[in-house]
């Protein structure tokens, strides 16, 4: 084996250009695949930072067909905690922004309020200090990042305090670096969720399954339990539904990771077929060598050992290049990981699992590369090669083998190109989509009103009035308003369940809509398109009248073909919700990231008694950047408020496409690389076939055939092979896209993508076939025959 290893290395050195091409091609394929595997590993395979995470489930309220899902309110959580028999423990979590006061300007930190038993249920263990007991008050856990940035990783941080919303909290512990679930948070505080507490805000409910309960059994039991619990029955047709914790985190962007992983897998297949084709062509030049070895007594196993070692040497060199490519791809691949999983990816180094994956690819591909020439030797007649002749059967076998490799390469290239174009088309459509308002020149900033200083609706009303007056004094402001949640993918959603006047209310299939609470000329500032009626007036907004603007899809749902102005709707998700008179209808906004595009727009003063109105986004239309001025305007009203997440509307929507744009870049690179590899493969196959038929070409030219006639005949044969490859690629693409639909629907394939991929590949493959043929047709027949 050592002798074979030395011989394999010497063989590579004798053909440096071919060896370098093979190693580089294989390295790029393995590297791209391993890099995507790292993202896949972080998202799907890496354990979550919780104890027995596969036993943790999130509980939501879902419609019977699962098309609508809502986070339960506090009363549902309390009933579930007290009466369920499928979970050993149930905890509630609620996102809550805190204003961190201290040295310098107030800053906003993301916080989570957690119920009793939170740390025990999730299996959370601080890296420093301890968790808190539920009966403790004025305490907090902090994240590793906050510990390092705010306190310089000081071990004595347990003797320090945090001023959150003007209230002092003692730090009891520091959580591990990977602990950010369920949101990107830095502070955790205890909370007591009671059934009679403010229940407008929904909770993230997590339960740990009992050892004798499976997820399927849990789903059936919870659906039955929901029919007996009054808070669930009050949700009118919604039922309790559990979802595995990982599935909830991967729900939005997980399909993107899968789609890119599939593309990288097909790139690796294309690379492998290309290298195998090249090595098969090279092995024919060694047939005399193998024939002599066979004649001297070498067995098939002896040939197999030698060729497999040569294949493993090539594959190992390619794997080393691939490992380097994968290690250098970290910054690009981080965009592929869903935002909820970004911390998981950051915590995963280029670890042994990725190296094992690369080693597995190297082993399998190396054995395959070595087996190809060995199998050729087993079937060949060595006597023919020793006397310098080749049989017709061997010629035919070689011809069809080369054609099969070429067809396979083209088929995989078609799949890659079609997928790349589909991704590019999808992203371009999303970038150029009509949002329903003019996002240019809009500046968004978020604020959160601390409950300690703004405990009721009256205090919040005064704040919003003063805030708009302060913002409108900024030079350059054309118009401004506030909204509870700006309609952008990162803004979140508060869902209303609408009932239309005169229409039967169907609780089993409620009409869901985004509940937008506004103040000031917000709709005018956004330049939302008015379809019918009018916007809310300044007096209606100031008084908090029972009026509303609805989106066109709401109007079409309740009153198709009728005039909705003056009709009434109400939000059945809120207790004692008033009927709201419709004053206007606006165009649907682009909210494809959510379950619905319907929306309801009401005065914030109609809702300020609810805690859900304590957070707001300030929306300013101005031709200039007013970020600093906007912060100053807020601090003139309340110097202790933090202004955070200041961004333009364009940037908010662009950031929502971060994962898709990264997928576009990667699949585009895969498609281009696949096109180049396929062209090289076709060129090599045609060059090899032409070289083997040099004598035939020379004889036919000597007998009077014209180069044009021969070129047309040979290109016709090449076009047939290319067409077979394209047809096979389209068929596999269609079947594969249907099979993959259960895994990912992130980028649906379309007919135009496949047609374009087929046309581009056909043109490139014909050009690659024409080059070696053109060179052969220029040969002098006498010279070629004498050389033969």
């Amino acid at each position: 084996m050592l002798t074979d290893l030395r011989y394999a290395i010497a063989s590579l050195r004798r053909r440096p250009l071919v060896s370098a091409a093979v190693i580089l091609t294989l390295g790029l394929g393995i590297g791209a695949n391993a890099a995507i595997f790292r993202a896949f590993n972080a998202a799907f395979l890496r354990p979550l930072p919780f104890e027995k995470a596969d036993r943790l489930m999130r509980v939501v309220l879902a419609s019977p067909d699962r098309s609508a899902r809502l986070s339960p309110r506090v009363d549902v959580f309390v009933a579930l905690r007290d009466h369920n028999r499928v979970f050993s423990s149930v905890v509630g979590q609620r996102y809550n922004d805190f204003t961190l006061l201290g040295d310098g300007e107030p800053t906003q930190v993301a916080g989570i309020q957690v119920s009793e038993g939170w740390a025990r249920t999730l299996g959370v263990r601080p890296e420093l200090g301890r968790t808190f007991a539920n009966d403790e008050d004025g305490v907090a856990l902090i994240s590793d990042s906050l510990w390092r940035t705010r306190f310089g990783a000081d071990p004595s941080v347990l003797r320090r305090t945090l001023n959150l919303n003007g209230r002092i909290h003692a730090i009891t512990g520091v959580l591990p670096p990977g602990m950010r679930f369920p949101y990107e948070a830095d502070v955790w505080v205890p909370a007591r969720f009671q059934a009679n507490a403010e229940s407008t805000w929904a909770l993230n409910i997590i339960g740990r399954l009992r050892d004798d309960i499976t997820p399927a059994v849990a789903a059936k039991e919870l659906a039955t339990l929901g029919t007996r619990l009054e808070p669930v029955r009050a949700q009118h047709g919604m039922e309790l539904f559990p979802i595995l914790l990982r599935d909830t985190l991967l729900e939005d962007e997980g399909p993107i990771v899968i789609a890119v992983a599939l593309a990288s897998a097909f790139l690796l297949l294309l690379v492998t077929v290309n290298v195998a084709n090249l090595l098969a062509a090279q092995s024919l030049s060694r047939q005399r060598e193998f024939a002599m070895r066979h004649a001297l007594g070498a067995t098939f196993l002896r040939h197999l050992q030698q060729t497999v070692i040569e294949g493993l040497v090539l594959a190992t060199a390619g794997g080393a290049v691939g490992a380097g490519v994968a290690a250098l791809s970290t910054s690009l691949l981080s965009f592929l990981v869903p935002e909820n999983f970004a911390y998981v990816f950051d915590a995963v180094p280029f670890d042994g699992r990725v190296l094992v994956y690369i080693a597995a690819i190297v082993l399998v591909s190396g054995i395959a590369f070595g087996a190809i020439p060995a199998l050729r030797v087993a079937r060949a007649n060595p006597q023919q090669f020793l006397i310098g002749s080749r049989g017709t059967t061997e010629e035919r076998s070689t011809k069809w083998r080369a054609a099969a490799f070429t067809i396979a390469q083209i088929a995989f290239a078609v799949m890659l190109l079609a997928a790349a174009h589909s991704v590019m088309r999808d992203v371009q459509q999303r970038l150029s989509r009509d949002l329903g308002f003019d996002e240019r020149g809009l500046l968004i900033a978020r604020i959160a009103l601390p409950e300690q200083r703004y405990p009721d609706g009256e205090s919040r009303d005064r704040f919003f009035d003063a805030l708009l007056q302060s913002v409108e004094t900024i030079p350059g402001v054309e118009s401004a308003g506030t909204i509870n949640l700006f309609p952008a993918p990162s803004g979140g959603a508060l869902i209303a369940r609408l009932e239309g006047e005169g229409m039967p209310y169907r609780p089993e299939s409620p009409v869901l809509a985004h509940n937008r609470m506004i103040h000031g000329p917000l709709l005018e500032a956004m330049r939302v398109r008015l379809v019918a009626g009018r916007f809310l007036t300044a007096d209606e907004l100031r008084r908090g009248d029972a009026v509303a603007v609805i989106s066109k899809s709401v109007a079409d749902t309740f009153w198709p073909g009728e005039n909705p102005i003056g009709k009434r709707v109400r939000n059945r998700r809120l207790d004692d919700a008033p009927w709201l008179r419709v004053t206007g209808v606006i165009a649907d906004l682009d909210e494809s990231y959510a379950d619905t595009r319907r929306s309801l727009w009401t005065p914030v003063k109609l809702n300020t008694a609810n805690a859900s109105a304590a957070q707001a986004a300030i929306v300013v239309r101005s031709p200039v950047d007013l970020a600093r001025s906007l912060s100053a305007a807020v601090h003139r009203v309340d110097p202790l408020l933090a202004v955070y997440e200041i961004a333009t509307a364009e940037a908010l929507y662009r950031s929502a496409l971060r994962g898709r744009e990264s997928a576009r870049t990667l699949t585009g690179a895969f498609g281009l690389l696949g096109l180049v590899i396929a062209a090289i493969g076709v060129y090599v196959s045609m060059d090899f076939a032409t070289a083997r038929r040099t004598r035939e070409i020379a004889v036919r030219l000597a007998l009077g055939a014209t180069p044009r006639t021969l070129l047309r005949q040979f290109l016709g044969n090449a076009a047939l092979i290319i067409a077979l490859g394209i047809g096979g690629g389209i068929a596999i693409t269609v079947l594969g896209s249907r099979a993959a639909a259960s895994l990912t629907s992130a980028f649906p394939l379309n007919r135009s993508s496949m047609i374009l991929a087929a046309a581009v590949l056909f043109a490139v493959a014909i050009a690659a076939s024409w080059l070696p043929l053109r060179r052969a047709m220029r040969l002098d027949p006498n010279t070629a025959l004498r050389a033969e």
Side-chain angles (χ1 to χ4, degrees):
M1 292 183 69
L2 290 177
T3 300
D4 288 341
L5 180 61
R6 287 194 296 268
Y7 185 81
I9 296 173
S11 298
L12 296 182
R13 295 175 63 183
R14 282 199 303 270
R15 302 187 300 273
L17 291 180
V18 174
S19 301
V22 170
I23 291 171
L24 182 60
T25 302
L26 195 58
L28 289 174
I30 293 176
N33 208 260
I36 301 302
F37 174 77
R38 185 182 174 194
F40 188 88
N41 174 41
F44 291 95
L45 305 179
R46 181 87 175 171
L48 294 177
F50 310 114
E51 182 180 336
K52 296 182 179 178
D54 59 327
R55 305 297 294 169
L56 294 174
M57 303 192 79
R58 181 186 175 190
V59 181
V60 299
L61 287 170
S63 59
D65 61 359
R66 308 292 182 254
S67 61
R69 297 178 182 179
L70 301 174
S71 295
R73 299 191 309 188
V74 174
D75 52 355
V76 175
F77 160 70
V78 173
L80 176 65
R81 181 192 61 191
D82 295 342
H83 299 286
N84 93 89
R85 294 182 298 178
V86 299
F87 298 120
S88 58
S89 58
V90 179
V91 293
Q93 306 174 119
R94 186 172 76 184
Y95 183 84
N96 188 30
D97 284 320
F98 291 108
T99 302
L100 182 58
L101 302 174
D103 299 334
E105 285 192 3
T107 57
Q108 200 73 11
V109 295
I112 301 178
Q113 294 176 294
V114 298
S115 67
E116 180 182 6
W118 170 79
R120 183 182 66 256
T121 299
L122 271 65
V124 175
R125 295 181 178 83
E127 63 175 328
L128 189 66
R130 62 174 179 85
T131 60
F132 42 68
N134 191 62
D135 57 355
E136 288 187 272
D137 198 13
V139 293
L141 289 164
I142 63 174
S143 68
D144 179 83
S145 62
L146 184 64
W147 176 47
R148 296 182 185 280
T149 56
R150 182 88 178 183
F151 300 99
D154 183 3
S156 64
V157 69
L158 301 180
R159 296 194 294 270
R160 308 279 290 276
T161 60
L162 291 175
N163 188 335
L164 302 175
N165 295 345
R167 185 182 179 192
I168 302 301
H169 289 69
I171 299 174
T172 65
V174 178
L175 293 179
M179 183 57 215
R180 293 289 186 89
F181 173 82
Y183 314 102
E184 194 76 12
D186 283 310
V187 176
W188 288 258
V189 298
R192 299 179 183 88
F193 299 126
Q194 303 296 330
N196 58 354
E198 165 60 57
S199 60
T200 301
W201 278 114
L203 297 182
N204 188 302
I205 300 177
I206 304 296
R208 178 172 289 279
L209 288 174
R210 286 169 35 190
D211 293 339
D212 58 336
I213 299 294
T214 65
V217 170
K220 293 179 181 179
E221 290 288 335
L222 289 180
T224 303
L225 175 64
T227 62
R228 299 197 302 266
L229 298 179
E230 179 57 34
V232 178
R233 290 204 304 270
Q235 299 303 313
H236 305 290
M238 306 293 275
E239 61 185 29
L240 295 174
F241 179 64
I243 310 171
L244 287 173
L245 202 55
R246 188 183 294 273
D247 292 343
T248 66
L249 297 178
L250 293 171
E251 191 170 16
D252 295 329
E253 297 191 27
I256 298 178
V257 181
I258 296 176
V260 177
L262 290 174
S264 69
F266 282 112
L267 174 65
L268 182 61
L269 283 174
L270 174 59
V271 167
T272 305
V273 172
N274 178 270
V275 172
N277 186 30
L278 187 59
L279 292 178
Q282 286 292 323
S283 69
L284 290 175
S285 64
R286 300 175 61 188
Q287 284 178 331
R288 185 174 178 84
E289 170 197 339
F290 286 129
M292 291 192 68
R293 289 174 178 270
H294 183 76
L296 293 173
T299 63
F300 168 72
L301 291 179
R302 183 65 189 86
H303 285 300
L304 181 64
Q305 175 181 307
Q306 178 187 330
T307 55
V308 165
I309 288 178
E310 291 177 3
L312 286 173
V313 169
L314 267 178
T316 301
V321 174
V325 171
L328 295 174
S329 303
T330 300
S331 59
L332 179 61
L333 289 174
S334 62
F335 290 105
L336 273 179
V337 180
E339 193 168 330
N340 285 334
F341 262 74
Y343 62 88
V344 178
F345 186 82
D346 293 340
V348 176
F350 189 79
D351 59 6
R353 185 173 293 185
V354 179
L355 292 176
V356 168
Y357 182 75
I358 293 175
I361 295 176
V362 167
L363 183 63
V364 172
S365 58
I367 293 174
F369 296 155
I372 292 171
L375 292 174
R376 291 182 58 85
V377 171
R379 288 195 298 266
N381 182 356
Q383 185 177 0
Q384 292 178 345
F385 296 104
L386 289 175
I387 64 176
S389 65
R390 293 187 292 266
T392 304
T393 303
E394 174 64 20
E395 288 280 2
R396 201 161 37 239
S397 174
T398 300
K399 176 183 175 181
W400 284 111
R401 189 179 297 108
F405 276 125
T406 303
I407 290 171
Q409 289 180 80
I410 292 173
F412 289 135
V414 166
M415 298 181 68
L416 275 176
L417 285 175
H421 183 262
S422 294
V423 173
M424 293 178 182
R425 186 172 179 269
D426 174 84
V427 174
Q428 187 56 43
Q429 287 177 342
R430 291 173 184 271
L431 288 173
S432 59
R433 68 196 183 284
D434 180 12
L435 299 178
F437 66 95
D438 185 1
E439 74 274 20
R440 295 167 299 180
L442 277 185
L443 184 67
I444 321 296
R446 291 184 61 190
I447 56 173
L449 305 182
E451 185 179 355
Q452 292 83 350
R453 289 186 286 118
Y454 298 93
D456 51 36
E458 183 179 350
S459 60
R460 295 168 192 153
D461 288 344
R462 290 195 302 268
F463 171 81
F464 285 120
D465 287 335
L467 174 64
L468 281 188
Q469 292 176 10
S470 179
V471 171
E472 289 169 351
T473 63
I474 302 174
V477 170
E478 296 179 1
S479 54
T482 67
I483 184 171
N484 61 327
L485 294 169
F486 186 76
S490 60
L494 185 64
I495 301 298
R497 302 173 62 177
L498 298 185
E499 177 183 6
E501 184 179 30
M503 303 298 295
Y505 181 67
R506 295 184 174 86
E508 70 280 359
S509 57
V511 176
L512 303 181
H514 294 275
N515 191 8
R516 309 292 188 193
M517 309 172 191
I518 65 174
H519 191 50
L522 184 280
L523 292 168
E524 293 89 332
M526 292 177 62
R527 295 179 183 170
V528 176
R529 289 199 304 275
L530 186 65
V531 176
R534 60 172 176 81
F535 293 138
L536 303 179
T537 66
D539 289 338
E540 289 170 335
L541 291 166
R542 185 175 62 254
R543 293 191 302 264
D545 292 348
V547 292
V549 168
I550 60 175
S551 63
K552 187 176 184 301
S553 57
V554 174
D556 292 342
T557 300
F558 287 133
W559 307 289
E562 300 181 32
N563 182 9
I565 306 303
K567 298 186 183 295
R568 299 192 302 170
V569 296
R570 67 173 175 175
N571 180 9
R572 289 290 295 266
R573 198 175 186 197
L574 300 176
D575 299 330
D576 301 323
W579 283 99
L580 308 172
R581 179 170 50 86
V582 176
T583 68
V585 178
I586 62 173
D588 287 343
L589 305 189
D590 182 274
E591 302 192 75
S592 55
Y593 59 90
D595 292 333
T596 178
R597 293 168 66 98
R598 305 185 190 101
S599 57
L600 173 74
W601 305 70
T602 60
V604 69
K605 289 190 177 181
L606 195 64
N607 304 275
T608 45
N610 296 324
S612 54
Q615 295 189 14
I618 310 167
V619 182
V620 174
R621 179 166 293 282
S622 172
V624 295
D625 184 5
L626 300 175
R628 288 183 174 273
S629 301
L630 190 57
S631 296
V634 175
H635 290 151
R636 284 197 295 269
V637 180
D638 187 342
L640 298 182
L641 275 187
V643 184
Y644 60 104
E645 295 183 11
I646 302 178
T648 64
E650 291 175 297
L652 288 177
Y653 276 89
R654 192 67 184 245
S655 65
L657 295 176
R658 186 186 68 165
R660 290 181 178 270
E661 287 193 299
S662 181
R664 177 184 64 177
T665 301
L666 288 170
T667 54
F670 292 166
L672 181 60
L673 185 58
L675 181 63
V676 172
I677 291 172
I680 292 174
V682 172
Y683 177 86
V684 169
S685 297
M686 188 56 65
D687 185 58
F688 174 72
T690 303
R692 290 178 63 84
R693 300 179 68 178
T694 300
R695 178 180 177 83
E696 175 191 343
I697 294 171
V699 169
R700 295 177 69 174
L701 288 173
L703 293 176
T706 64
R708 183 184 297 272
T709 302
L710 293 178
L711 188 63
R712 187 165 53 245
Q713 179 184 350
F714 277 74
L715 275 182
N717 295 334
L720 177 60
I721 293 174
I722 294 168
L724 289 174
I726 289 175
I730 291 176
I732 296 173
T733 301
V734 172
L735 295 175
S737 63
R738 292 175 182 174
S742 60
L743 296 176
T744 176
S745 57
F747 305 104
L749 287 169
N750 55 80
R751 184 179 301 176
S752 62
S753 296
M754 289 187 285
I755 293 174
L756 181 63
V760 170
L761 195 57
F762 186 84
V764 171
I766 286 292
S769 302
W770 174 75
L771 289 175
L773 288 172
R774 179 173 175 269
R775 187 175 64 250
M777 298 307 161
R778 291 181 175 180
L779 286 175
D780 179 15
N782 293 325
T783 304
L785 289 172
R786 281 198 301 267
E788 181 68 18

